[in-house]
Amino acid sequence: MSRQKRKVVPQRRRIFVGCEGESEQGYVALLTRLAETQHLAVHLDAVLLQPGGGDPSSLVDLAIKRAAEREKRHGAFEGRFILLDDDKLGISPDRDARIAPAANKAGLGLIWQHTCHEALLLRHLDGCAQRRPGSTNLAIAALSQAWPGYRKGMPAVRLADRIDHEAIARAAAVEGALAGLLAKIGLIEA
């Protein structure tokens, strides 16, 4: 009688991704789906920080806290990132000045979405990589025009209708901080 060999399952690399809202969580779930199709051994821990967004400094502080709590319970992260809209920068310059030092100290990669998540999604679409709408309303209008049927907070399965590996590579080419996350996952080369 011979024993069957056990299949060795590689340990998943854990990556923390702080999400300003549900739209970002859906996007991170899409990245997880794309990683699975490429058989990448990665777990993206997408943590909703504050529904509806908020002050960027507070969101960074909250992300640092949540990442530390999750590491204590489940082990170290290989990378830490946060998706943040930049539309509220400049309201409180003193608070803004604390963001980068706090993030650097905690090893938290800042992925600024100019101006909002919808503008970042727009840059994934063919022919739209260079588009930089000047406000959240303009970004939503531009995305809705380029992607009829888009709705804020779409789940990963619906995002996958328009965003594939080619689309994330297109966005990564113009979004350096996003490229850092995608390279850490293994979806693009560093």
Side-chain angles (χ1 to χ4, degrees), residues 11-18 24-46 78-83 111 124 165 168 172 177-190:
Q11 179 70 34
R12 291 181 177 268
R13 297 175 296 115
R14 295 180 64 240
I15 299 171
F16 175 89
V17 185
E24 288 86 354
Q25 272 190 311
Y27 180 75
V28 175
L30 169 68
L31 297 180
T32 297
R33 289 171 57 103
L34 291 171
E36 288 170 354
T37 65
Q38 293 187 15
H39 307 289
L40 300 173
V42 64
H43 170 74
L44 301 178
D45 195 354
E78 187 175 297
R80 295 174 173 201
F81 298 87
I82 182 173
L83 291 159
I111 302 172
H124 287 72
H165 190 268
I168 64 162
L178 177 64
L181 169 61
L182 299 173
K184 181 62 84 173
I185 295 168
L187 289 170
I188 64 169
E189 293 198 23

Side-chain angles (χ1 to χ4, degrees), residues 122-144:
L122 179 65
R123 289 187 280 283
H124 287 72
L125 304 181
D126 194 26
C128 298
Q130 299 299 327
R131 294 186 65 185
R132 300 245 175 222
S135 71
T136 298
N137 289 337
L138 291 173
I140 292 169
L143 183 60
S144 296

Side-chain angles (χ1 to χ4, degrees), residues 12-91:
R12 291 181 177 268
R13 297 175 296 115
R14 295 180 64 240
I15 299 171
F16 175 89
V17 185
C19 298
E20 185 170 319
E22 291 176 1
S23 295
E24 288 86 354
Q25 272 190 311
Y27 180 75
V28 175
L30 169 68
L31 297 180
T32 297
R33 289 171 57 103
L34 291 171
E36 288 170 354
T37 65
Q38 293 187 15
H39 307 289
L40 300 173
V42 64
H43 170 74
L44 301 178
D45 195 354
V47 177
L48 180 61
L49 298 173
Q50 185 172 322
D55 167 56
S57 180
S58 296
L59 290 169
V60 167
D61 291 342
L62 193 54
I64 292 167
K65 180 181 175 185
R66 293 285 188 270
E69 291 168 354
R70 292 170 104 76
E71 277 190 330
K72 197 172 193 177
R73 286 195 308 260
H74 305 291
F77 289 109
E78 187 175 297
R80 295 174 173 201
F81 298 87
I82 182 173
L83 291 159
L84 289 163
D85 295 349
D86 75 357
D87 61 349
K88 293 191 176 131
L89 284 177
I91 294 171

